[in-house]
Amino acid sequence: MNEIPETGFLRLPQVLSVIPLGKTCWWEGVKSGRFPKPVKLSARCTAWRAEDIRDLIKTLSETESLGTNKPTNH
């Protein structure tokens, strides 16, 4: 998470550099509410709050670690 500033805004290429998804998958997650909503900085400039992306990464990593600790039923 060193690439993400403490505060400020991230454009989509910056977000996708730390969350390895394609654009379509990212926008589907935004639409469904799984990922944070963007902020319109101008008519043609969309960005996400750095704090929201940091929280998302933290949530995803906690979810992943919980998933890896589940016992498997073989």
Side-chain angles (χ1 to χ4, degrees), residues 7-68:
T7 61
F9 296 97
L10 300 172
R11 300 291 306 275
L12 186 57
Q14 294 170 297
V15 172
L16 297 180
S17 73
V18 293
I19 300 176
L21 293 175
K23 289 180 186 179
T24 302
C25 186
W26 174 259
W27 281 111
E28 287 173 357
V30 170
K31 185 177 178 181
S32 73
R34 181 174 180 211
F35 302 141
K37 293 195 179 297
V39 175
K40 289 292 275 184
L41 300 179
S42 70
R44 295 183 57 167
C45 184
T46 301
W48 285 261
R49 290 181 179 88
E51 298 92 332
D52 292 345
I53 299 302
R54 285 180 168 275
D55 290 345
L56 174 63
I57 292 170
K58 182 178 177 186
T59 301
L60 291 174
S61 65
E62 289 172 354
T63 302
E64 183 177 303
S65 66
L66 289 174
T68 58

Side-chain angles (χ1 to χ4, degrees), residues 70-74:
K70 290 182 180 177
T72 55
N73 296 328
H74 289 349

